[in-house]
Amino acid sequence: MSTAIRGDDGLARCPWGLSAPDYVAYHDEEWGRPVRDDQGLYEKLCLEAFQSGLSWLTILRKREAFRAAFHGFDPEKVAAFGPADVERLMSDAGIVRNRAKIDAAIGNARAALGIPGGLAATIWRHADPDAPGHADMDDVPAVTEGSTALAKELKRHGFRFVGPTTAYALMQACGLVDDHLTGCHRRGAYR
């Protein structure tokens, strides 16, 4: 029996997808949809790192401010950031002002530009389209062998704030695994 919950519109969703109004659109239109370009994956990776220790809802509500502050998450532009940009970001109340995470975002842009074959190819090598479905949120893992391998590979290329849990959240958000619950209307939507 799935723990997916029917919304007012009659559609069954993962429980978190109905926990706040902002989550409905994110759940239905974005989470789990494949992201296959370097810039899109770099943005998601940065946002997942900024989320570490915080609510995803906080990051989701600040996303447009993050995009403005980080020039649309263009890795070439962010890689060129210097000390004045770091200070600008540290004074931007629209984003999460954590120096270690800001430094990681800049360093990760530089790493993304230097990764052989590109960021997307590296990340998508770790896709697991045949991962088993789960009926209950309690059964969805926080870490897998695949996310551990992805985190290790990214760290080898110089990425920071990309542990196995962050890597798995990235895999879920970007469609490398389908962790919509088996009763959810989005399960299998992107195959």
Side-chain angles (χ1 to χ4, degrees), residues 30-42:
E30 190 173 349
W31 192 75
R33 183 181 299 264
V35 177
R36 297 187 180 273
D37 64 291
D38 285 356
Q39 187 167 334
L41 286 163
Y42 168 69

Side-chain angles (χ1 to χ4, degrees), residues 5 8 70 114 117 137:
I5 299 172
D8 292 339
F70 284 91
M137 290 302 299

Side-chain angles (χ1 to χ4, degrees), residues 57 64 106 149 151 155 185 190:
L57 193 56
E64 291 310 314
I106 296 166
K155 285 180 182 181
H185 81 280
Y190 305 117

